[in-house]
Every structure is written in C-alpha cells, then in structure tokens.
Amino acid sequence: PFTLDMESMTDAFMTAAALAAVADGVSTITGIANQRVKECNRIEAMITELGKLGVTCDELADGLRIHGRAPAELRGSHIHCYKD
C-alpha cells in the first residue's frame, strides 16, 4: 500500500488507483480535487468502477482511500468509460 500526494500529476491518479486496487492494504491518494471538474467527476467514477470489481473505496475531500484486494478476489465486470 502507499500514500501519494498527486497534486503535481493529477491526471495520473487513475493509474495509481488501479495499482492500489491490487495492493495488499489501504492506499491513499490526495491532492486531486481538480479531477472532480474534468470531463466527468473522475474521483467518483473511479470509486464506482472499482466498486464493480469488489474494491472498497472511501471518498476524501481531495482524493480517495482504496482498500486493495488480491487479484484473485476481484470479480469481472463491465467498466463504464464516461466518454473520458
């Protein structure tokens, strides 16, 4: 697990969130409040879509906390792209 302040590279948070989803433990990504006002609310979108896979996330004021799971524990799902 990891804790990242991604304020200087906010557009990369989705990649970090995907990695956190399969990291053993709880990871926190902060400094990405501006991602709420892109083509969609990207923080909300990541929480929703990771949830479809069985990953629990907590929304923070400027980011999210991801409770990682072993890849074998994830379930398959159709992921919505939000035209983003």
Side-chain angles (χ1 to χ4, degrees):
F2 52 84
T3 298
L4 288 175
D5 178 350
M6 297 193 71
E7 188 172 1
S8 66
M9 54 183 169
T10 60
D11 287 338
F13 100 88
M14 292 177 283
T15 301
L19 294 172
V22 294
D24 183 25
V26 179
S27 298
T28 303
I29 300 171
T30 59
I32 58 169
N34 71 319
Q35 294 296 305
R36 295 183 189 284
V37 293
K38 296 290 186 172
E39 290 78 5
C40 69
N41 181 336
R42 292 179 178 170
I43 296 171
E44 182 180 278
M46 284 303 295
I47 291 170
T48 298
E49 301 309 312
L50 289 175
K52 290 179 182 179
L53 302 174
V55 177
T56 301
C57 300
D58 306 312
E59 189 169 354
L60 306 174
D62 70 335
L64 67 163
R65 185 174 301 112
I66 302 166
H67 303 263
R69 301 184 68 159
E73 296 177 354
L74 300 178
R75 57 180 176 258
S77 183
H78 291 273
I79 302 298
H80 181 59
C81 302
Y82 300 83
K83 297 184 180 184
D84 190 359

